[in-house]
Amino acid sequence: MSAIFDIDHIALLARLRLTHAEKDKLGRQMETILGYIDQLNQLDTADVEPTSHVIPIHNVFREDEETKPFPEKDYLSLAPAEKKHHYEVPQII
Amino acid sequence: MKYETVIGLEVHAQLKTKTKIFCSCSTEFGRQANENTCPICLGMPGVLPVLNKQAVEFAVRACLATHCEINPHNQFDRKNYFYPDLAKGYQTSQFALPIGKNGHVNIEVNGNKKRIRILRIHMEEDAGKLIHGENLGIPGKSYVDFNRTGTPLTEIVTEPDLRSPEEAREYLTQLKAILEYSEVSDCNMEEGSLRCDANVSLRPVGQEELGTRTELKNLNSFRFVQKAIEYEVDRQSRILDQGDRVIQETRLYDSDKGVTLPMRSKEEAHDYRYFPEPDLVPVAIDSEWVERARKNLPELPEQKRQRFVKEYEIPEYDAGVLTASRALANYYEDSLALFSQPKIVSNWVMGELLRELKNDDRGIENCPVSPTALTDLLKLIDKGSISGKMAKEVFEEMYRTGKPAEDIVKEKGLAQISDSSSIAKLVEDILEANPQQLQDYRSGKDKLFGYFVGQVMKASKGQANPALVNQLLKDKLKQN
């Protein structure tokens, strides 16, 4: 098991059921990815302002006006299951 | 052992926009399930959310109304969790750079004034509504309505400054009034537009360090907030008295049983892996924007309270009661516009009116007696047409039937007798009928004056104008 993360915990958060072989493979891949982050961390960014967006623009707004692109049944019909206008999912409590 | 209660509150208030925060779906309550949805709030791949400007305006106003500093540089973050109440797999919220911080709300409990600090205010989207199993369909399934998903909210978080369940309730009452006055939120708890979570811990009196806290959820009314905290304080002090430790956990309040119960840990995932939302650009709020918003800020409860005391010269207590809600303050001022005797109107609104409404569990918004109807009644007293005592009877009838005061007075024959000749006649009759008492009065038994007044009032079935009875009786007794 990796020293910097717990693959079982990550899998739980992502709601993924992984086999031993998958855990092993994905764990090693994540080690590599996190290793890359370590590499980035070596850079001195003390004087660099944090970037939250890559394009230098701000204040893109829409007005508070209602529009309705499609009727709701169009979306409901895309769902694996529905009932009485609700999306049906596996019980979560 | 003696413990000090430490409470912090997190309030979610729905902003009063017509549409959702990142898409143009309606926020109207009570529509058919999933009617208010579109590809954006359903989290379809490839869609692009765009921020509703009005939501930001309202959030700025909420910050100003609670004396918060406004962050000039805002951004949104993704709060990641897998739960079917959000189709995207994350909630768009603010984490690192919330819109407001370091504010406060003033409260007063049992005469003690206190400032409750606000740690932060941030904007976020609401999640959808879940219905479980047989409540809608079949066991083993849950059902999702995404109408509420994407509704704009502000989350208002206090410092752990509250020290009792009463203080928590009072803070909520004040905050609700502030949000209503500033027209930021409807604050309708039944429709979920105001929701509250409470963090509660105990520490031995005198100890600086905070104890282990529990987070209480599902507090659907101010009364439940108070009750749930009371229960939790009791529960935690019993644990500590036994020498055990409180477990940090989220607990749900069961209002039917009046207890808090631990949420199953499966429902929690405190590992949200926040990161900046790349689909939304930053929001810059410059001082010009803030000043414009400040100028447009409606009168707040505290200002209104002070104005009432100054302008109408009513006691501070009255002003506090009358400004508790904006609707009540409006009712009062609407009444004053029709009958300009501030203290009399205040007495009637705080006394008869609020008592009837409370008995009825009704808000002032649904009051069956309008300001016009109330002041018509007060004018009748003012003219001397009915006595204050009768007016109370008339008011009850007005409240029950919605009839105008004048009609009720006529129907019941309650009109006060203010015509001197009929009262003079009654006075003469009474004195004639009580020669013994009259003689005793003359020989120095002054107290009998009250007896004569009583007799006259009785003879008039309580309808004689008491001031006039007094006057005429005095005159008559002097004459003879």
Side-chain angles (χ1 to χ4, degrees):
Chain A
M1 195 172 107
S2 168
I4 44 174
F5 64 88
D6 173 357
I7 188 100
D8 290 316
H9 181 60
I10 307 265
L12 175 76
L13 290 172
R15 301 291 185 270
L16 293 174
R17 196 177 291 130
L18 301 177
T19 64
H20 276 292
E22 284 169 326
K23 278 183 201 169
D24 188 51
K25 184 180 163 196
L26 292 168
R28 269 184 284 116
Q29 289 180 355
M30 279 186 66
E31 292 258 15
T32 315
I33 295 165
L34 290 170
Y36 178 61
I37 303 284
D38 273 345
Q39 201 179 325
L40 288 176
N41 275 341
Q42 285 166 22
L43 208 64
D44 180 10
T45 55
D47 296 328
V48 182
E49 209 179 302
T51 309
S52 63
H53 201 273
V54 289
I55 311 167
I57 49 169
H58 58 265
N59 293 9
V60 176
F61 297 120
R62 39 169 285 270
E63 294 305 314
D64 188 20
E65 280 157 18
E66 185 184 347
T67 58
K68 199 168 170 53
F70 310 104
E72 68 272 16
K73 64 174 183 345
D74 289 8
Y75 316 118
L76 279 161
S77 65
L78 296 174
E82 54 151 316
K83 189 160 253 155
K84 296 178 190 161
H85 299 274
H86 288 71
Y87 294 89
E88 188 178 272
V89 297
Q91 177 127 25
I92 41 86
I93 57 162
Chain B
M1 200 188 244
K2 213 65 185 105
Y3 301 106
E4 182 179 40
T5 305
V6 179
I7 305 161
L9 294 180
E10 292 170 16
V11 169
H12 286 90
Q14 180 180 332
L15 300 172
K16 230 162 133 171
T17 55
K18 292 200 282 288
T19 64
K20 294 187 178 181
I21 185 165
F22 302 123
C23 63
S24 55
C25 289
S26 167
T27 52
E28 196 182 303
F29 182 81
R31 288 213 190 157
Q32 184 175 84
N34 290 301
E35 191 182 328
N36 299 343
T37 57
C38 76
I40 293 173
C41 54
L42 290 174
M44 299 282 182
V47 295
L48 196 62
V50 183
L51 182 58
N52 183 340
K53 182 158 192 215
Q54 190 58 50
V56 185
E57 293 283 2
F58 283 147
V60 166
R61 213 188 269 180
C63 291
L64 291 175
T66 51
H67 312 280
C68 280
E69 297 161 24
I70 292 182
N71 197 338
H73 182 86
N74 276 261
Q75 76 182 34
F76 285 90
D77 298 281
R78 289 188 181 181
K79 179 181 180 178
N80 296 280
Y81 68 92
F82 277 120
Y83 202 63
D85 62 356
L86 268 172
K88 293 187 294 189
Y90 59 86
Q91 180 190 27
T92 307
S93 180
Q94 287 190 296
F95 183 60
L97 298 165
I99 186 162
K101 58 178 188 210
N102 301 335
H104 65 261
V105 168
N106 294 325
I107 63 165
E108 189 177 332
V109 173
N110 302 326
N112 296 320
K113 289 188 174 153
K114 197 167 163 181
R115 173 161 291 187
I116 307 304
R117 291 171 300 158
I118 289 177
L119 176 67
R120 57 183 273 152
I121 294 185
H122 68 255
M123 297 179 271
E124 64 182 25
E125 64 180 334
D126 203 351
K129 192 175 120 194
L130 293 167
I131 303 173
H132 302 295
E134 303 90 318
N135 296 324
L136 184 113
I138 53 172
K141 298 286 180 193
S142 289
Y143 300 89
V144 196
D145 173 3
F146 288 113
N147 276 355
R148 228 172 56 190
T149 304
T151 298
L153 305 177
T154 48
E155 181 173 335
I156 302 168
V157 185
T158 71
E159 297 278 3
D161 284 351
L162 298 152
R163 291 290 173 270
S164 69
E166 297 77 33
E167 284 187 10
R169 185 176 181 158
E170 184 53 23
Y171 164 79
L172 287 173
T173 307
Q174 291 305 324
L175 182 67
K176 179 172 183 264
I178 288 168
L179 296 175
E180 280 174 350
Y181 271 78
S182 52
E183 296 169 2
V184 160
S185 175
D186 285 331
C187 297
N188 185 331
M189 287 192 104
E190 287 86 58
E191 293 182 6
S193 63
L194 191 77
R195 304 197 289 270
C196 175
D197 299 336
N199 290 308
V200 181
S201 67
L202 299 184
R203 63 181 170 194
V205 170
Q207 181 181 303
E208 187 73 21
E209 195 192 335
L210 293 171
T212 307
R213 66 185 159 87
T214 56
E215 185 180 0
L216 309 182
K217 286 185 179 285
N218 205 26
L219 311 172
N220 297 327
S221 75
F222 289 2
R223 198 163 58 88
F224 290 164
V225 171
Q226 186 172 345
K227 293 245 175 259
I229 297 174
E230 278 166 4
Y231 176 86
E232 191 59 18
V233 167
D234 193 47
R235 189 188 71 89
Q236 289 188 16
S237 60
R238 265 184 285 125
I239 291 174
L240 295 172
D241 279 342
Q242 284 165 16
D244 289 340
R245 294 218 312 245
V246 173
I247 304 163
Q248 182 167 344
E249 63 186 350
T250 303
R251 299 176 70 88
L252 286 180
Y253 181 62
D254 181 332
S255 56
D256 292 333
K257 298 195 183 87
V259 298
T260 66
L261 297 166
M263 245 173 134
R264 270 184 283 172
S265 62
K266 227 165 66 178
E267 294 159 37
E268 277 188 273
H270 277 316
D271 196 346
Y272 292 130
R273 296 147 292 143
Y274 284 96
F275 66 85
E277 164 63 89
D279 285 346
L280 290 162
V281 300
V283 181
I285 303 172
D286 58 15
S287 53
E288 213 174 295
W289 185 343
V290 174
E291 283 322 305
R292 185 165 36 81
R294 204 188 297 278
K295 242 183 256 155
N296 293 331
L297 197 64
E299 188 181 37
L300 295 172
E302 240 172 313
Q303 296 166 321
K304 202 182 276 279
R305 194 153 57 228
Q306 286 162 9
R307 180 169 66 80
F308 276 19
V309 171
K310 223 174 125 204
E311 202 173 313
Y312 304 135
E313 295 173 342
I314 54 173
E316 224 169 283
Y317 174 80
D318 293 36
V321 174
L322 295 170
T323 55
S325 87
R326 194 174 177 193
L328 186 63
N330 287 346
Y331 186 99
Y332 177 67
E333 289 206 288
D334 289 348
S335 302
L336 272 192
L338 300 163
F339 183 75
S340 55
Q341 297 205 34
K343 183 56 185 158
I344 292 178
V345 177
S346 164
N347 288 346
W348 276 84
V349 172
M350 293 200 311
E352 306 305 308
L353 187 77
L354 285 186
R355 182 168 51 244
E356 291 289 345
L357 288 172
K358 199 179 165 200
N359 286 344
D360 235 6
D361 206 12
R362 233 195 252 226
I364 185 79
E365 299 83 356
N366 304 315
C367 180
V369 179
S370 69
T372 312
L374 175 69
T375 50
D376 281 348
L377 174 68
L378 301 186
K379 284 174 193 164
L380 288 179
I381 310 172
D382 198 46
K383 276 193 297 191
S385 307
I386 54 170
S387 69
K389 200 172 155 224
M390 283 168 184
K392 288 185 182 177
E393 238 182 281
V394 175
F395 180 83
E396 273 171 36
E397 188 77 13
M398 286 166 71
Y399 187 91
R400 240 192 352 262
T401 61
K403 283 187 193 162
E406 209 146 350
D407 291 4
I408 296 168
V409 170
K410 267 187 209 139
E411 271 171 32
K412 300 203 146 195
L414 289 173
Q416 183 166 271
I417 302 167
S418 291
D419 128 52
S420 351
S421 58
S422 5
I423 295 180
K425 174 83 175 54
L426 284 172
V427 168
E428 269 170 42
D429 290 352
I430 291 300
L431 293 181
E432 236 165 74
N434 295 283
Q436 185 57 48
Q437 282 83 350
L438 185 60
Q439 203 181 327
D440 292 350
Y441 178 81
R442 293 257 149 81
S443 47
K445 271 196 157 181
D446 289 351
K447 274 187 190 156
L448 280 166
F449 186 77
Y451 170 79
F452 293 132
V453 173
Q455 291 300 307
V456 175
M457 290 308 289
K458 200 172 154 193
S460 76
K461 298 195 188 80
Q463 281 171 257
N465 179 330
L468 212 49
V469 171
N470 269 295
Q471 188 55 48
L472 292 172
L473 194 58
K474 249 183 231 163
D475 293 350
K476 193 83 195 159
L477 288 167
K478 253 185 241 159
Q479 278 170 30
N480 298 8

